[in-house]
Amino acid sequence: MKPTMMDVAARASVSQATVSLILNGSAGARFSEATRRKVMDAVQELGYRLPNRSQSGDLSDNRVICFITDELTTDPWMALAFEGAREKALEFGIIVTLGIFRAGEDPEEDVFSLCQQQPLMGYIFGTILTRKIDPPAALFTVPSVLVNCYDQDRRLPSIVPGDVAGGRAATERLIRAGRSRVALINGQEGLDNPRDRLRGYKQALASNDFTFDPQLVRYGNWEPSSGYSETHLLMDLPNPPDAIFCANDLMALGCVEALKERGKSVPKDVSVIGFDNRDIAQFIRPPLTTLHLPLFEMGAMAVEMIHDIAGGLKSSHDQLKVECALVERESV
């Protein structure tokens, strides 16, 4: 099989977004010379080549997929999903355009009205947070796929991360390391990701004959500050944890700093695992073991699905859950 941008990212130990920005020479992207060298060395070792637009014929005659999201700048997830969609679309000779949509906009002037003026193959609609949505009416007019969100009535196919399995994998990794008091610093209550990661955490405890202790579950706000403060509260317990599963890497950063302040060695005294596999995870000391949030892959899968649907193929799945793979580093 031909090497992919994901293979280059894994070889260079950087994100797919970093590889894309460097190889495409994106304006304003600033990286150290060492990072650029790692990426280019990985490209050479793997024999990777960017898809060539000219090999797909005249793209002006091809159709368009519009990638619509509710937010692009607060987190990298939709940018990664768009990059995955764009790279996969190039293989098919399809153009992917990007737009922002917010509920309440004038339907005569919103991004969907602009997209409908193009030779439209379909829509990808993504959200920055994994959540249930009421799909905009335009999504029902052409083949459409939801990314990181879902329709309660399953009227549209969706692709979401496997958060339950990921929460279980993270907790079981800590248990395999010999830990007996595994805590969870979760994200905000009421959101899909924290709910599902908690479910996976509980499943792992039950399957390994551990009793669920609600004192070991804390809720943060996804930021380092809450990982820091909640870790101190956990370590103040009469029987503190010897392992902490943080529901994202930013809270894990604060967690590790709090443990260092208390004179605890990671992972000798307390093991720590994160979730998301952000770029920062490899630069925490010790480098953070984490679960990879597969938004890049999900964007690529959405293009494949739209391409199949537009070609007359029907999927037997109304929702695909994509594995959040374990990334081993040194914090467990």
Side-chain angles (χ1 to χ4, degrees):
M1 295 177 63
K2 292 182 179 179
T4 67
M5 192 177 288
M6 289 178 285
D7 297 326
V8 175
R11 178 67 65 92
S13 298
V14 299
S15 71
Q16 295 96 331
T18 296
V19 173
S20 177
L21 290 170
I22 289 174
L23 295 185
N24 285 290
S26 300
R30 299 178 181 178
F31 299 99
S32 68
E33 186 56 36
T35 299
R36 291 182 183 277
R37 190 181 307 114
K38 283 199 303 182
V39 169
M40 298 314 296
D41 287 348
V43 167
Q44 188 170 15
E45 291 167 12
L46 294 171
Y48 174 76
R49 294 291 182 271
L50 276 173
N52 189 341
R53 290 174 180 265
S54 65
Q55 293 176 351
S56 300
D58 183 1
L59 289 184
S60 63
D61 293 331
N62 288 315
R63 307 193 75 178
V64 174
I65 292 175
C66 287
F67 188 111
I68 311 297
T69 179
D70 63 344
E71 184 58 66
L72 192 65
T73 58
T74 56
D75 274 310
W77 311 130
M78 284 300 102
L80 280 170
F82 173 72
E83 278 299 316
R86 190 185 67 85
E87 182 169 325
K88 177 58 65 175
L90 283 174
E91 297 178 13
F92 295 130
I94 299 168
I95 296 173
V96 179
T97 62
L98 177 65
I100 308 295
F101 171 78
R102 294 185 175 89
E105 293 182 349
D106 184 346
E108 298 299 323
E109 300 179 2
D110 66 19
V111 67
F112 290 108
S113 64
L114 297 175
C115 289
Q116 287 163 1
Q117 298 173 26
Q118 305 179 54
L120 193 61
M121 175 180 281
Y123 288 110
I124 297 171
F125 188 86
T127 57
I128 201 81
L129 294 174
T130 308
R131 61 186 178 90
K132 177 179 66 177
I133 66 165
D134 183 14
L139 299 184
F140 296 99
T141 62
V142 291
S144 298
V145 175
L146 306 178
V147 169
N148 208 38
C149 55
Y150 58 94
D151 172 23
Q152 179 78 33
D153 299 324
R154 304 291 180 96
R155 292 168 294 174
L156 294 173
S158 60
I159 304 172
V160 296
D163 279 313
V164 175
R168 179 167 181 157
T171 308
E172 288 183 334
R173 178 65 186 91
L174 296 170
I175 293 171
R176 288 201 309 273
R179 302 304 181 176
S180 58
R181 290 278 289 171
V182 179
L184 167 63
I185 300 178
N186 211 350
Q188 292 157 303
E189 289 188 89
L191 300 178
D192 283 44
N193 305 105
R195 179 199 66 205
D196 288 346
R197 292 172 195 178
L198 174 62
R199 187 180 301 166
Y201 166 81
K202 288 181 175 180
Q203 288 178 1
L205 294 179
S207 64
N208 287 277
D209 296 323
F210 284 93
T211 301
F212 173 69
D213 182 353
Q215 285 191 314
L216 291 177
V217 177
R218 307 291 305 181
Y219 287 90
N221 63 2
W222 303 114
E223 297 298 328
S225 57
S226 64
Y228 175 88
S229 60
E230 298 302 333
T231 296
H232 278 298
L233 291 172
L234 286 168
M235 300 308 292
D236 285 338
L237 292 172
N239 186 11
D242 56 7
I244 301 177
F245 165 28
C246 296
N248 80 339
D249 294 339
L250 294 180
M251 292 193 297
L253 171 60
C255 171
V256 169
E257 290 304 307
L259 291 170
K260 289 178 180 177
E261 277 191 10
R262 300 180 79 104
K264 300 294 183 182
S265 171
V266 178
K268 182 178 179 182
D269 299 320
V270 182
S271 293
V272 178
I273 193 167
F275 209 110
D276 290 350
N277 195 29
R278 285 177 179 257
D279 281 351
I280 196 173
Q282 60 189 309
F283 300 112
I284 296 172
R285 290 295 174 263
L288 184 68
T289 296
T290 186
L291 278 292
H292 174 68
L293 192 60
L295 267 297
F296 183 95
E297 297 86 341
M298 289 160 60
M301 291 171 65
V303 168
E304 290 183 327
M305 192 176 291
I306 289 176
H307 185 265
D308 287 347
I309 295 171
L313 299 177
K314 298 297 182 183
S315 172
S316 60
H317 303 285
D318 56 8
Q319 185 176 89
L320 295 177
K321 293 190 176 183
V322 185
E323 178 187 8
C324 300
L326 180 69
V327 181
E328 291 276 8
R329 294 195 178 98
E330 299 171 26
S331 64
V332 176

